Amino acid sequence: MMLLNFDIEVLKVSCLLNMSPAWSYLVKLSTIFWVLLAVLVVHALHFRLGPLSARMPALFGVVGAIFFAFLTSMVVMAIAPLQCQHHPNGETTVQRYPTVVCAGRAEHARMLGIGMAFLTIPSTFVAFCCVVVSQFPARMHRGDWAFVSTFAFLFLRFKPDAYWYGLFLLLRNMGIALSAAVPNAFAQVSAPMLLFLVSIVLTILVRPWRNPVANAMDTIVSFCMAILLQCGSYMLDSRDDRTVGTLTSVVVMAMTLSLTGGLFFAGTAHMLRGLRKDFKYFISHHKAGTGAMARLLKVYLTDATHQGVFIDTDNLSNLEVLFDIVGVQTETVVTLLSSEFWLRPWCIGEIVAAHLKKVAVSSIHCPGYQEPTEGFRKQLPHLVDLSVLSSRGLSLGAVAAAMDWVCKDCPSLLLPRTLTAGSLAEITAYLQRGSPRNTILQADPSADGTVGAKSSVRTEASGALEQASKVVVIVDHANCQATWTALVICKLVGKRLLDDLSLMPHLAPEGAALSPRAHSCIVVFSVGAIGQVDFLQALSEADDRRFAVLPVISEEAFQIPDRKQVEVVAGPALRELEELGVGCGSNGIFRIVSGIFLEIAVRFAPQDAG
């Protein structure tokens, strides 16, 4: 234990070398430098073949871990000359060096200068850690995993939302060590006990450690340390024993109440979590038709509410419990009604379960959706295999009642074919606040729909972003799945680039010229995209302006077209472009597409598991 405090006297060095107290103190302080030198030597031997830049994160991590572990010992060593004890003859000497007289003597002055100079090392380390912790959120937005790896000693053991707790431990330990230099027994006892009290409260409320056992151990250890301090306080030779005793008793009582209250709070929170439903929203959808929209909606709802949002590709591990999740664990079911929705038995079953369990439902009418007719309802048993439902006790009458309930009584929103980040944010707000029954919100007054609108969600172009952004996403706007996939890309990539607006991608407006500041593009390829005029026009403009291009394949059925396929598929669109004065021809389009796919394409299907 004495070696951990760098007390080399345990090795009886004085038997071999006759050193003055100042020199002995200096050698003791230099022990940390010998430890660091040993680390450097081992590091150099272990990584002798690798480049220096690749070795630096590991070196920083090891050195940081050593300073983190021995910070208290280093501070205690540095303040040793400040810890003096009184003698009956009126003299004061350094507690650890009884031959050194305090109060202005030369030997003591030398030791004091050495100690204060050494104290700058742990102080600089703590200040550096403050800077590192302040940079953590921005680095995470950029996905700088090398930063986290380098400073793992500060972050790795704690939850992401408690990334600052490592810095708190450093400041707490440094404060406890410095309190020993205060020439007052009252302060020496009260300061550490108050710091341990703060530590206990924080650990109980925040639970910062990744391992739940570590949270319990941290609380117990802090509490035991406080008890030890209280016991030790009664052995102090103090002129104000009554004050010290009263203080320690009050602090320990406060700690006991904090611990008891924390346990009660944790138990109550656990019980309330049991009563609260696991999912704020359950997105019911037909995967092939609206899977990308379900993913897009989940991303927006999760960011807005920070609560659970269920989609089957992410959250469903056992199909047998699907209807139980809807009826028992969900607050609101969001139905993405598409042309195929009522032909899917599992989608119908989710609606029936919500109706039977009285779970709130909000519907979103996707482009191309039409309300089921009376003839369709009569033919439903012949069109859909309802054995999935009947085997689970859901009757045809329950299906009809649930269908009427969703179509007539539940709030609904008419989704436009053209979406923007602004309209998605408003749709998210609509789902959060709910809507009166028999109310239909229409996000685009010009969109074709079968149901009248009583309210409107206005789609707003993200003008500021389009003006500032240098990255554009080109997509076939006639393909809803591809457009929704492009919006998912914009949202997910944009979350990583919040500190640099110019790199946040934005969706190229349909039929409009690309942003004048743009110099890079993400091209989302889908089946039939090269047969669309707006898509080819955007590709041609990006080629003329020599954009850097990243190809993304959004559909598994898509194949890179050859020259003949380009002539057949893109022929009508190319003739229309020639009439508009954009004459690139089939050879030009084939050259552009072939050049794009010289880059390695990324397959991105947001309807699959996240």
mmCIF file of all heavy atoms in Angstrom, residues 424-469:
data_model
loop_
_atom_site.group_PDB
_atom_site.id
_atom_site.type_symbol
_atom_site.label_atom_id
_atom_site.label_comp_id
_atom_site.label_asym_id
_atom_site.label_seq_id
_atom_site.Cartn_x
_atom_site.Cartn_y
_atom_site.Cartn_z
ATOM 1 N N LEU A 424 -42.274 16.725 -42.286
ATOM 2 C CA LEU A 424 -42.103 15.562 -41.406
ATOM 3 C C LEU A 424 -42.119 15.981 -39.945
ATOM 4 O O LEU A 424 -42.680 15.280 -39.092
ATOM 5 C CB LEU A 424 -40.802 14.837 -41.749
ATOM 6 C CG LEU A 424 -40.856 13.952 -42.997
ATOM 7 C CD1 LEU A 424 -39.455 13.582 -43.447
ATOM 8 C CD2 LEU A 424 -41.681 12.701 -42.731
ATOM 9 N N ALA A 425 -41.500 17.123 -39.645
ATOM 10 C CA ALA A 425 -41.515 17.616 -38.267
ATOM 11 C C ALA A 425 -42.939 17.956 -37.835
ATOM 12 O O ALA A 425 -43.336 17.694 -36.689
ATOM 13 C CB ALA A 425 -40.609 18.837 -38.143
ATOM 14 N N GLU A 426 -43.733 18.508 -38.746
ATOM 15 C CA GLU A 426 -45.111 18.849 -38.405
ATOM 16 C C GLU A 426 -45.966 17.593 -38.253
ATOM 17 O O GLU A 426 -46.872 17.536 -37.406
ATOM 18 C CB GLU A 426 -45.695 19.775 -39.477
ATOM 19 C CG GLU A 426 -45.044 21.156 -39.472
ATOM 20 C CD GLU A 426 -45.848 22.158 -40.280
ATOM 21 O OE1 GLU A 426 -47.075 22.227 -40.080
ATOM 22 O OE2 GLU A 426 -45.253 22.852 -41.100
ATOM 23 N N ILE A 427 -45.721 16.572 -39.083
ATOM 24 C CA ILE A 427 -46.441 15.304 -38.939
ATOM 25 C C ILE A 427 -46.115 14.676 -37.586
ATOM 26 O O ILE A 427 -46.991 14.137 -36.899
ATOM 27 C CB ILE A 427 -46.073 14.358 -40.098
ATOM 28 C CG1 ILE A 427 -46.639 14.904 -41.404
ATOM 29 C CG2 ILE A 427 -46.600 12.952 -39.836
ATOM 30 C CD1 ILE A 427 -46.126 14.194 -42.633
ATOM 31 N N THR A 428 -44.841 14.756 -37.190
ATOM 32 C CA THR A 428 -44.437 14.239 -35.884
ATOM 33 C C THR A 428 -45.162 14.981 -34.767
ATOM 34 O O THR A 428 -45.654 14.369 -33.806
ATOM 35 C CB THR A 428 -42.921 14.383 -35.711
ATOM 36 O OG1 THR A 428 -42.261 13.704 -36.776
ATOM 37 C CG2 THR A 428 -42.465 13.796 -34.383
ATOM 38 N N ALA A 429 -45.250 16.301 -34.884
ATOM 39 C CA ALA A 429 -45.961 17.091 -33.869
ATOM 40 C C ALA A 429 -47.440 16.722 -33.827
ATOM 41 O O ALA A 429 -48.052 16.651 -32.752
ATOM 42 C CB ALA A 429 -45.785 18.575 -34.163
ATOM 43 N N TYR A 430 -48.032 16.470 -34.989
ATOM 44 C CA TYR A 430 -49.440 16.059 -35.051
ATOM 45 C C TYR A 430 -49.650 14.746 -34.306
ATOM 46 O O TYR A 430 -50.617 14.601 -33.538
ATOM 47 C CB TYR A 430 -49.857 15.918 -36.511
ATOM 48 C CG TYR A 430 -50.948 14.886 -36.756
ATOM 49 C CD1 TYR A 430 -52.257 15.126 -36.396
ATOM 50 C CD2 TYR A 430 -50.639 13.666 -37.358
ATOM 51 C CE1 TYR A 430 -53.249 14.174 -36.608
ATOM 52 C CE2 TYR A 430 -51.610 12.706 -37.581
ATOM 53 C CZ TYR A 430 -52.917 12.970 -37.214
ATOM 54 O OH TYR A 430 -53.883 12.029 -37.427
ATOM 55 N N LEU A 431 -48.753 13.790 -34.486
ATOM 56 C CA LEU A 431 -48.891 12.507 -33.797
ATOM 57 C C LEU A 431 -48.692 12.660 -32.299
ATOM 58 O O LEU A 431 -49.317 11.946 -31.501
ATOM 59 C CB LEU A 431 -47.883 11.502 -34.368
ATOM 60 C CG LEU A 431 -48.138 11.045 -35.815
ATOM 61 C CD1 LEU A 431 -46.987 10.191 -36.316
ATOM 62 C CD2 LEU A 431 -49.450 10.273 -35.901
ATOM 63 N N GLN A 432 -47.844 13.594 -31.894
ATOM 64 C CA GLN A 432 -47.595 13.795 -30.469
ATOM 65 C C GLN A 432 -48.796 14.416 -29.761
ATOM 66 O O GLN A 432 -49.147 14.009 -28.653
ATOM 67 C CB GLN A 432 -46.367 14.680 -30.262
ATOM 68 C CG GLN A 432 -45.045 13.979 -30.539
ATOM 69 C CD GLN A 432 -43.881 14.887 -30.240
ATOM 70 O OE1 GLN A 432 -43.360 15.567 -31.103
ATOM 71 N NE2 GLN A 432 -43.470 14.913 -28.986
ATOM 72 N N ARG A 433 -49.405 15.407 -30.405
ATOM 73 C CA ARG A 433 -50.502 16.110 -29.729
ATOM 74 C C ARG A 433 -51.848 15.432 -29.936
ATOM 75 O O ARG A 433 -52.813 15.745 -29.239
ATOM 76 C CB ARG A 433 -50.580 17.559 -30.201
ATOM 77 C CG ARG A 433 -50.978 17.734 -31.659
ATOM 78 C CD ARG A 433 -51.140 19.194 -32.042
ATOM 79 N NE ARG A 433 -51.455 19.353 -33.449
ATOM 80 C CZ ARG A 433 -50.584 19.640 -34.381
ATOM 81 N NH1 ARG A 433 -49.304 19.787 -34.061
ATOM 82 N NH2 ARG A 433 -50.932 19.765 -35.652
ATOM 83 N N GLY A 434 -51.918 14.505 -30.911
ATOM 84 C CA GLY A 434 -53.181 13.845 -31.186
ATOM 85 C C GLY A 434 -54.120 14.764 -31.956
ATOM 86 O O GLY A 434 -53.776 15.884 -32.323
ATOM 87 N N SER A 435 -55.309 14.279 -32.204
ATOM 88 C CA SER A 435 -56.276 15.063 -32.977
ATOM 89 C C SER A 435 -57.671 14.595 -32.631
ATOM 90 O O SER A 435 -57.877 13.430 -32.301
ATOM 91 C CB SER A 435 -56.007 14.867 -34.472
ATOM 92 O OG SER A 435 -56.941 15.582 -35.247
ATOM 93 N N PRO A 436 -58.670 15.469 -32.690
ATOM 94 C CA PRO A 436 -60.045 15.032 -32.411
ATOM 95 C C PRO A 436 -60.492 13.970 -33.411
ATOM 96 O O PRO A 436 -59.989 13.890 -34.524
ATOM 97 C CB PRO A 436 -60.863 16.324 -32.569
ATOM 98 C CG PRO A 436 -59.870 17.428 -32.446
ATOM 99 C CD PRO A 436 -58.579 16.898 -32.964
ATOM 100 N N ARG A 437 -61.443 13.163 -32.994
ATOM 101 C CA ARG A 437 -61.989 12.152 -33.889
ATOM 102 C C ARG A 437 -62.646 12.821 -35.108
ATOM 103 O O ARG A 437 -63.106 13.959 -35.041
ATOM 104 C CB ARG A 437 -63.012 11.288 -33.154
ATOM 105 C CG ARG A 437 -62.369 10.387 -32.104
ATOM 106 C CD ARG A 437 -63.415 9.449 -31.519
ATOM 107 N NE ARG A 437 -62.817 8.626 -30.478
ATOM 108 C CZ ARG A 437 -62.156 7.495 -30.715
ATOM 109 N NH1 ARG A 437 -62.001 7.075 -31.949
ATOM 110 N NH2 ARG A 437 -61.647 6.790 -29.736
ATOM 111 N N ASN A 438 -62.698 12.066 -36.201
ATOM 112 C CA ASN A 438 -63.300 12.532 -37.453
ATOM 113 C C ASN A 438 -62.579 13.732 -38.040
ATOM 114 O O ASN A 438 -63.162 14.529 -38.767
ATOM 115 C CB ASN A 438 -64.784 12.874 -37.262
ATOM 116 C CG ASN A 438 -65.578 11.693 -36.759
ATOM 117 O OD1 ASN A 438 -65.373 10.565 -37.210
ATOM 118 N ND2 ASN A 438 -66.478 11.929 -35.807
ATOM 119 N N THR A 439 -61.297 13.891 -37.678
ATOM 120 C CA THR A 439 -60.508 14.982 -38.245
ATOM 121 C C THR A 439 -59.461 14.392 -39.168
ATOM 122 O O THR A 439 -58.770 13.445 -38.809
ATOM 123 C CB THR A 439 -59.820 15.797 -37.144
ATOM 124 O OG1 THR A 439 -60.826 16.398 -36.331
ATOM 125 C CG2 THR A 439 -58.933 16.878 -37.729
ATOM 126 N N ILE A 440 -59.355 14.953 -40.354
ATOM 127 C CA ILE A 440 -58.360 14.496 -41.322
ATOM 128 C C ILE A 440 -57.402 15.638 -41.572
ATOM 129 O O ILE A 440 -57.817 16.737 -41.921
ATOM 130 C CB ILE A 440 -59.019 14.092 -42.649
ATOM 131 C CG1 ILE A 440 -60.061 13.013 -42.394
ATOM 132 C CG2 ILE A 440 -57.973 13.676 -43.660
ATOM 133 C CD1 ILE A 440 -59.697 11.643 -42.791
ATOM 134 N N LEU A 441 -56.133 15.411 -41.402
ATOM 135 C CA LEU A 441 -55.131 16.411 -41.705
ATOM 136 C C LEU A 441 -54.542 16.113 -43.072
ATOM 137 O O LEU A 441 -54.237 14.971 -43.395
ATOM 138 C CB LEU A 441 -54.018 16.398 -40.653
ATOM 139 C CG LEU A 441 -54.447 16.733 -39.227
ATOM 140 C CD1 LEU A 441 -53.247 16.715 -38.313
ATOM 141 C CD2 LEU A 441 -55.144 18.068 -39.171
ATOM 142 N N GLN A 442 -54.374 17.143 -43.884
ATOM 143 C CA GLN A 442 -53.817 16.956 -45.216
ATOM 144 C C GLN A 442 -52.516 17.723 -45.295
ATOM 145 O O GLN A 442 -52.474 18.924 -45.080
ATOM 146 C CB GLN A 442 -54.795 17.462 -46.273
ATOM 147 C CG GLN A 442 -54.278 17.270 -47.700
ATOM 148 C CD GLN A 442 -55.327 17.663 -48.704
ATOM 149 O OE1 GLN A 442 -56.491 17.372 -48.547
ATOM 150 N NE2 GLN A 442 -54.906 18.362 -49.743
ATOM 151 N N ALA A 443 -51.430 17.005 -45.581
ATOM 152 C CA ALA A 443 -50.117 17.628 -45.599
ATOM 153 C C ALA A 443 -49.842 18.358 -46.892
ATOM 154 O O ALA A 443 -48.938 19.149 -46.976
ATOM 155 C CB ALA A 443 -49.035 16.575 -45.360
ATOM 156 N N ASP A 444 -50.609 18.101 -47.924
ATOM 157 C CA ASP A 444 -50.400 18.765 -49.204
ATOM 158 C C ASP A 444 -51.763 18.988 -49.845
ATOM 159 O O ASP A 444 -52.399 18.056 -50.317
ATOM 160 C CB ASP A 444 -49.514 17.902 -50.110
ATOM 161 C CG ASP A 444 -49.206 18.595 -51.429
ATOM 162 O OD1 ASP A 444 -49.711 19.715 -51.622
ATOM 163 O OD2 ASP A 444 -48.468 18.005 -52.256
ATOM 164 N N PRO A 445 -52.254 20.227 -49.888
ATOM 165 C CA PRO A 445 -53.590 20.471 -50.400
ATOM 166 C C PRO A 445 -53.779 20.012 -51.830
ATOM 167 O O PRO A 445 -54.886 19.765 -52.265
ATOM 168 C CB PRO A 445 -53.747 21.999 -50.265
ATOM 169 C CG PRO A 445 -52.760 22.383 -49.220
ATOM 170 C CD PRO A 445 -51.629 21.433 -49.355
ATOM 171 N N SER A 446 -52.688 19.896 -52.596
ATOM 172 C CA SER A 446 -52.811 19.479 -53.984
ATOM 173 C C SER A 446 -52.763 17.989 -54.167
ATOM 174 O O SER A 446 -52.936 17.485 -55.266
ATOM 175 C CB SER A 446 -51.673 20.112 -54.807
ATOM 176 O OG SER A 446 -50.428 19.608 -54.373
ATOM 177 N N ALA A 447 -52.511 17.242 -53.081
ATOM 178 C CA ALA A 447 -52.395 15.792 -53.198
ATOM 179 C C ALA A 447 -53.759 15.183 -53.460
ATOM 180 O O ALA A 447 -54.774 15.638 -52.967
ATOM 181 C CB ALA A 447 -51.786 15.197 -51.934
ATOM 182 N N ASP A 448 -53.738 14.115 -54.270
ATOM 183 C CA ASP A 448 -54.986 13.420 -54.557
ATOM 184 C C ASP A 448 -55.363 12.544 -53.384
ATOM 185 O O ASP A 448 -54.550 11.801 -52.873
ATOM 186 C CB ASP A 448 -54.825 12.544 -55.812
ATOM 187 C CG ASP A 448 -54.609 13.395 -57.049
ATOM 188 O OD1 ASP A 448 -55.130 14.517 -57.062
ATOM 189 O OD2 ASP A 448 -53.914 12.929 -57.975
ATOM 190 N N GLY A 449 -56.586 12.571 -52.959
ATOM 191 C CA GLY A 449 -57.039 11.735 -51.855
ATOM 192 C C GLY A 449 -58.515 11.482 -51.975
ATOM 193 O O GLY A 449 -59.238 12.149 -52.705
ATOM 194 N N THR A 450 -58.960 10.548 -51.250
ATOM 195 C CA THR A 450 -60.371 10.179 -51.310
ATOM 196 C C THR A 450 -61.152 10.752 -50.143
ATOM 197 O O THR A 450 -62.344 10.573 -50.059
ATOM 198 C CB THR A 450 -60.496 8.649 -51.304
ATOM 199 O OG1 THR A 450 -59.882 8.166 -50.117
ATOM 200 C CG2 THR A 450 -59.800 8.041 -52.495
ATOM 201 N N VAL A 451 -60.454 11.428 -49.236
ATOM 202 C CA VAL A 451 -61.124 11.934 -48.045
ATOM 203 C C VAL A 451 -60.899 13.430 -47.965
ATOM 204 O O VAL A 451 -59.803 13.930 -48.222
ATOM 205 C CB VAL A 451 -60.571 11.254 -46.778
ATOM 206 C CG1 VAL A 451 -61.422 11.635 -45.582
ATOM 207 C CG2 VAL A 451 -60.555 9.753 -46.963
ATOM 208 N N GLY A 452 -61.919 14.213 -47.625
ATOM 209 C CA GLY A 452 -61.780 15.647 -47.498
ATOM 210 C C GLY A 452 -60.901 16.039 -46.345
ATOM 211 O O GLY A 452 -60.679 15.269 -45.432
ATOM 212 N N ALA A 453 -60.415 17.263 -46.347
ATOM 213 C CA ALA A 453 -59.499 17.727 -45.314
ATOM 214 C C ALA A 453 -60.179 18.769 -44.461
ATOM 215 O O ALA A 453 -60.847 19.647 -44.948
ATOM 216 C CB ALA A 453 -58.250 18.307 -45.949
ATOM 217 N N LYS A 454 -60.020 18.654 -43.158
ATOM 218 C CA LYS A 454 -60.526 19.652 -42.221
ATOM 219 C C LYS A 454 -59.400 20.483 -41.641
ATOM 220 O O LYS A 454 -59.645 21.478 -40.994
ATOM 221 C CB LYS A 454 -61.289 18.962 -41.090
ATOM 222 C CG LYS A 454 -62.566 18.296 -41.551
ATOM 223 C CD LYS A 454 -63.348 17.747 -40.376
ATOM 224 C CE LYS A 454 -64.641 17.102 -40.827
ATOM 225 N NZ LYS A 454 -65.408 16.552 -39.700
ATOM 226 N N SER A 455 -58.161 20.021 -41.808
ATOM 227 C CA SER A 455 -57.014 20.747 -41.287
ATOM 228 C C SER A 455 -55.860 20.514 -42.232
ATOM 229 O O SER A 455 -55.896 19.620 -43.057
ATOM 230 C CB SER A 455 -56.672 20.273 -39.874
ATOM 231 O OG SER A 455 -55.588 21.005 -39.368
ATOM 232 N N SER A 456 -54.854 21.320 -42.159
ATOM 233 C CA SER A 456 -53.740 21.235 -43.110
ATOM 234 C C SER A 456 -52.418 21.317 -42.398
ATOM 235 O O SER A 456 -52.234 22.113 -41.506
ATOM 236 C CB SER A 456 -53.852 22.375 -44.127
ATOM 237 O OG SER A 456 -52.678 22.470 -44.909
ATOM 238 N N VAL A 457 -51.502 20.442 -42.794
ATOM 239 C CA VAL A 457 -50.112 20.528 -42.335
ATOM 240 C C VAL A 457 -49.297 21.044 -43.497
ATOM 241 O O VAL A 457 -49.163 20.382 -44.508
ATOM 242 C CB VAL A 457 -49.574 19.151 -41.900
ATOM 243 C CG1 VAL A 457 -48.118 19.261 -41.495
ATOM 244 C CG2 VAL A 457 -50.386 18.603 -40.749
ATOM 245 N N ARG A 458 -48.773 22.226 -43.406
ATOM 246 C CA ARG A 458 -48.079 22.852 -44.527
ATOM 247 C C ARG A 458 -46.649 22.325 -44.614
ATOM 248 O O ARG A 458 -45.922 22.299 -43.635
ATOM 249 C CB ARG A 458 -48.064 24.374 -44.353
ATOM 250 C CG ARG A 458 -49.445 24.997 -44.410
ATOM 251 C CD ARG A 458 -49.342 26.497 -44.246
ATOM 252 N NE ARG A 458 -48.783 26.839 -42.948
ATOM 253 C CZ ARG A 458 -49.483 26.956 -41.857
ATOM 254 N NH1 ARG A 458 -50.774 26.745 -41.884
ATOM 255 N NH2 ARG A 458 -48.925 27.277 -40.714
ATOM 256 N N THR A 459 -46.261 21.927 -45.822
ATOM 257 C CA THR A 459 -44.890 21.490 -46.053
ATOM 258 C C THR A 459 -44.034 22.706 -46.346
ATOM 259 O O THR A 459 -44.337 23.513 -47.215
ATOM 260 C CB THR A 459 -44.822 20.528 -47.247
ATOM 261 O OG1 THR A 459 -45.365 21.175 -48.390
ATOM 262 C CG2 THR A 459 -45.637 19.270 -46.972
ATOM 263 N N GLU A 460 -42.952 22.865 -45.611
ATOM 264 C CA GLU A 460 -42.086 24.022 -45.749
ATOM 265 C C GLU A 460 -40.734 23.588 -46.266
ATOM 266 O O GLU A 460 -40.103 22.690 -45.719
ATOM 267 C CB GLU A 460 -41.918 24.711 -44.390
ATOM 268 C CG GLU A 460 -43.229 25.182 -43.805
ATOM 269 C CD GLU A 460 -43.031 25.776 -42.434
ATOM 270 O OE1 GLU A 460 -41.871 25.776 -41.965
ATOM 271 O OE2 GLU A 460 -44.007 26.227 -41.842
ATOM 272 N N ALA A 461 -40.262 24.215 -47.313
ATOM 273 C CA ALA A 461 -38.936 23.887 -47.854
ATOM 274 C C ALA A 461 -37.866 24.345 -46.893
ATOM 275 O O ALA A 461 -37.951 25.413 -46.295
ATOM 276 C CB ALA A 461 -38.749 24.577 -49.206
ATOM 277 N N SER A 462 -36.860 23.518 -46.716
ATOM 278 C CA SER A 462 -35.761 23.876 -45.814
ATOM 279 C C SER A 462 -34.801 24.779 -46.578
ATOM 280 O O SER A 462 -33.704 24.370 -46.976
ATOM 281 C CB SER A 462 -35.053 22.615 -45.318
ATOM 282 O OG SER A 462 -35.976 21.766 -44.690
ATOM 283 N N GLY A 463 -35.249 26.023 -46.810
ATOM 284 C CA GLY A 463 -34.474 26.932 -47.647
ATOM 285 C C GLY A 463 -33.088 27.219 -47.132
ATOM 286 O O GLY A 463 -32.124 27.254 -47.895
ATOM 287 N N ALA A 464 -32.975 27.441 -45.814
ATOM 288 C CA ALA A 464 -31.653 27.776 -45.259
ATOM 289 C C ALA A 464 -30.672 26.641 -45.469
ATOM 290 O O ALA A 464 -29.515 26.853 -45.843
ATOM 291 C CB ALA A 464 -31.793 28.090 -43.775
ATOM 292 N N LEU A 465 -31.134 25.407 -45.253
ATOM 293 C CA LEU A 465 -30.257 24.257 -45.424
ATOM 294 C C LEU A 465 -29.856 24.093 -46.874
ATOM 295 O O LEU A 465 -28.684 23.857 -47.191
ATOM 296 C CB LEU A 465 -30.953 22.983 -44.927
ATOM 297 C CG LEU A 465 -30.206 21.666 -45.159
ATOM 298 C CD1 LEU A 465 -28.858 21.688 -44.456
ATOM 299 C CD2 LEU A 465 -31.032 20.475 -44.689
ATOM 300 N N GLU A 466 -30.816 24.231 -47.804
ATOM 301 C CA GLU A 466 -30.507 24.063 -49.218
ATOM 302 C C GLU A 466 -29.520 25.114 -49.702
ATOM 303 O O GLU A 466 -28.675 24.838 -50.556
ATOM 304 C CB GLU A 466 -31.800 24.128 -50.032
ATOM 305 C CG GLU A 466 -32.737 22.947 -49.776
ATOM 306 C CD GLU A 466 -34.009 23.033 -50.593
ATOM 307 O OE1 GLU A 466 -34.051 23.889 -51.496
ATOM 308 O OE2 GLU A 466 -34.940 22.275 -50.327
ATOM 309 N N GLN A 467 -29.614 26.314 -49.149
ATOM 310 C CA GLN A 467 -28.684 27.370 -49.559
ATOM 311 C C GLN A 467 -27.278 27.124 -49.026
ATOM 312 O O GLN A 467 -26.290 27.434 -49.680
ATOM 313 C CB GLN A 467 -29.200 28.732 -49.076
ATOM 314 C CG GLN A 467 -30.454 29.207 -49.795
ATOM 315 C CD GLN A 467 -30.224 29.418 -51.280
ATOM 316 O OE1 GLN A 467 -29.180 29.889 -51.701
ATOM 317 N NE2 GLN A 467 -31.219 29.051 -52.079
ATOM 318 N N ALA A 468 -27.206 26.550 -47.816
ATOM 319 C CA ALA A 468 -25.889 26.374 -47.185
ATOM 320 C C ALA A 468 -25.240 25.049 -47.534
ATOM 321 O O ALA A 468 -24.015 24.940 -47.549
ATOM 322 C CB ALA A 468 -26.027 26.493 -45.668
ATOM 323 N N SER A 469 -26.040 24.021 -47.833
ATOM 324 C CA SER A 469 -25.495 22.672 -47.986
ATOM 325 C C SER A 469 -24.737 22.508 -49.292
ATOM 326 O O SER A 469 -25.129 23.029 -50.338
ATOM 327 C CB SER A 469 -26.627 21.640 -47.915
ATOM 328 O OG SER A 469 -26.121 20.348 -48.151
#
